[in-house]
């Protein structure tokens, strides 16, 4: 199982280079909404001469647009967050396979689609946070979150959130439908409030006292270390964290990833960009610019991410997890997880 060892000084960089100089352009459909990604795009253009034309929007809107455009779609690439969205794009016939030894060798197998239609380029662990003053015995595993001992203490996002969908889908994959249903039912019973807001709001719930335990992706917390995040950073010393399921399955990982559009008019340039995202330069920037974990092993982490410590990740195939997302949504509905 893969471990992130977060000492920046001891993590060696593998020798890779940016794509060779090319010409032309590519059309990128992206639901990543981070200003720091500007550096990814400008560095790629500076290195290759390839101009990037961006269409940005919510993931589902972009998928609907690509489907409506059909074979006339100008899209070369889809870049989005979470396995569920990438799997949906594949199932809708919006992506095509990529034959690239570079991507095959750089990206771990569990972060790739089994047909090479999408690849993960950055990761976020979905972990447990808690109020260090009020909680002396925090949950240590995902299963513990459903323990009646924590009734009324938990803040967590809605069932429509893709991060929770893939978390529950991973539990289905590991433990089966019945166990996953009981877990989801226990989570609902332990909620301190109705699901609301994003991951940062779950952390704010700890600071405000609305809850004592929350679930969030690591990069929201790491961002609060690196820069001032309202309602979190000023009181961050009072927040503890647990990487769940250490010694068993490992912490569940969400990804940001991309795939080659099914009718890409600039296919070669699009593949160059996918390969660029797996380069050391881009991988470092995912961590330094957006507080994420690189997908490529051995790439150094930013100090804000390194501060969280090392942990065991869940190396389950994300293709298998994605296949269980529809069942996860069914379970959410059954147990009344809003």
């Amino acid at each position: 199982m893969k471990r992130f060892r977060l000492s920046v000084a001891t993590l060696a960089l593998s020798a890779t280079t940016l794509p060779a100089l090319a010409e032309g352009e590519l059309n990128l459909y992206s639901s990543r909404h981070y200003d720091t990604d500007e550096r990814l795009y400008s560095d790629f253009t500076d290195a290759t001469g390839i101009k990037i034309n961006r269409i940005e929007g919510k993931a589902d809107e972009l998928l609907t647009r690509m489907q409506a455009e059909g074979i006339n779609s100008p899209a070369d690439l889809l870049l989005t967050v979470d396995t569920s969205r990438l799997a949906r794009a594949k199932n809708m016939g919006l992506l095509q396979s990529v034959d690239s030894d570079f991507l095959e060798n750089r990206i771990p197998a569990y972060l790739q689609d089994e047909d090479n239609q999408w690849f993960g380029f950055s990761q976020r662990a979905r972990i447990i946070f808690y109020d260090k003053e009020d909680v002396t015995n925090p949950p240590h595993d995902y299963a513990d979150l459903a323990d009646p001992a924590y009734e009324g203490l938990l803040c967590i996002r809605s069932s429509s959130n893709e991060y929770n969908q893939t978390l529950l889908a991973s539990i289905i994959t590991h433990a089966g439908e019945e166990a996953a249903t009981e877990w989801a039912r226990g989570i609902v019973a332990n909620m301190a409030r109705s699901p609301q807001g994003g991951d940062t709001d779950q952390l704010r719930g700890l600071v405000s006292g609305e809850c004592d335990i929350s679930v969030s992706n690591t990069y929201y917390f790491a961002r609060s270390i690196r820069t001032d995040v309202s309602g979190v950073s000023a009181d961050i010393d009072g927040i503890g964290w647990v990487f769940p399921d250490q010694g068993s399955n490992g912490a569940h990982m969400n990804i940001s990833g991309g795939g080659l559009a099914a009718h890409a008019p600039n296919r070669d340039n699009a593949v160059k960009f996918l390969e660029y995202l797996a380069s050391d330069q881009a991988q470092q920037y995912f961590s330094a610019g957006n507080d994420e974990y690189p997908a490529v092993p051995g790439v150094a982490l930013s100090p804000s991410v390194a501060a969280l410590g090392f942990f065991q990740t869940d190396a389950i195939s994300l293709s298998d997890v994605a296949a269980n997302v529809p069942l996860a949504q069914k379970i959410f509905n059954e147990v009344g997880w809003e």
Side-chain angles (χ1 to χ4, degrees):
M1 293 184 179
K2 185 176 183 296
R3 284 185 178 269
F4 281 106
R5 297 196 176 273
L6 308 188
S7 172
V8 177
T10 60
L11 286 176
L13 294 179
S14 52
T16 61
T17 59
L18 294 176
L21 189 65
E23 295 181 353
E25 60 185 13
L26 67 86
N27 301 314
L28 173 65
Y29 283 30
S30 176
S31 69
R32 279 182 62 98
H33 51 80
Y34 314 113
D35 293 339
T36 51
D37 284 356
E38 296 292 336
R39 177 74 178 274
L40 287 171
Y41 306 137
S42 62
D43 283 358
F44 174 77
T45 298
D46 290 345
T48 66
I50 298 172
K51 177 185 176 183
I52 299 178
N53 304 312
R54 278 181 286 160
I55 300 295
E56 298 182 334
K58 295 181 179 180
D60 290 342
E61 294 171 352
L62 293 175
L63 298 186
T64 299
R65 176 171 178 159
M66 291 174 69
Q67 186 177 49
E69 290 169 341
I71 62 173
N72 296 316
S73 176
D76 293 308
L77 284 173
L78 174 69
L79 192 63
T80 188
V81 296
D82 198 71
T83 316
S84 61
R85 298 293 192 263
L86 293 165
R88 186 177 304 171
K90 176 185 176 181
N91 292 337
M92 293 170 67
L94 302 179
L95 303 177
Q96 61 174 297
S97 298
V98 175
D99 183 14
S100 168
D101 289 340
F102 184 79
L103 290 173
E104 283 277 341
N105 293 329
R106 293 280 285 173
I107 305 298
Y110 72 97
L111 299 178
Q112 301 180 29
D113 170 58
E114 60 188 3
D115 298 315
N116 290 353
Q117 291 200 17
W118 54 258
F119 296 84
F121 294 108
S122 63
Q123 303 182 80
R124 308 91 172 262
R126 192 149 191 78
I127 70 171
I128 299 167
F129 295 89
Y130 64 96
D131 184 319
K132 291 196 291 187
E133 182 177 348
D134 292 342
V135 179
T136 57
N137 184 28
H140 289 284
D141 298 314
Y142 293 112
D144 293 342
L145 290 168
D147 190 317
Y150 301 114
E151 182 178 357
L153 302 183
L154 179 63
C155 284
I156 193 167
R157 290 177 74 164
S158 73
S159 63
S160 63
N161 172 247
E162 60 267 23
Y163 303 145
N164 284 341
Q165 291 171 357
T166 51
L167 174 59
L168 182 55
S170 73
I171 294 172
I172 295 169
T173 308
H174 282 301
E177 180 179 354
E178 182 177 351
T181 301
E182 288 306 306
W183 179 82
R185 185 173 287 113
I187 294 297
V188 173
N190 286 350
M191 289 182 183
R193 64 185 185 189
S194 297
Q196 58 188 263
D199 273 18
T200 302
D201 295 303
Q202 313 315 309
L203 298 173
R204 291 187 177 116
L206 298 177
V207 174
S208 70
E210 291 181 86
C211 50
D212 289 326
I213 301 167
S214 69
V215 176
S216 176
N217 281 355
T218 46
Y219 79 117
Y220 294 97
F221 187 75
R223 182 181 301 159
S224 300
I225 296 174
R226 177 174 56 85
T227 188
D228 184 27
V229 175
S230 175
V232 180
S233 297
D235 296 281
I236 202 166
D237 289 342
I239 300 176
W241 61 90
V242 173
F243 287 97
D245 290 31
Q246 301 301 285
S248 56
N249 294 328
H252 172 66
M253 306 299 288
N254 286 291
I255 64 169
S256 181
L260 179 65
H263 308 292
N266 301 292
R267 189 183 191 283
D268 290 346
N269 287 347
V271 172
K272 284 184 172 66
F273 184 72
L274 291 175
E275 292 177 341
Y276 161 74
L277 293 179
S279 70
D280 283 344
Q281 178 175 318
Q283 287 289 298
Q284 282 185 297
Y285 201 71
F286 279 120
S287 187
N290 202 46
D291 306 290
E292 298 175 89
Y293 292 99
V296 174
V299 174
L301 304 175
S302 68
S304 62
V305 180
L308 298 181
F310 68 88
F311 64 99
Q312 174 188 320
T313 66
D314 189 351
I316 192 172
S317 168
L318 293 185
S319 289
D320 294 340
V321 171
N324 280 320
V325 167
L327 179 54
Q329 190 61 63
K330 176 177 176 287
I331 291 173
F332 281 137
N333 295 339
E334 286 178 0
V335 303
W337 187 326
E338 298 177 9

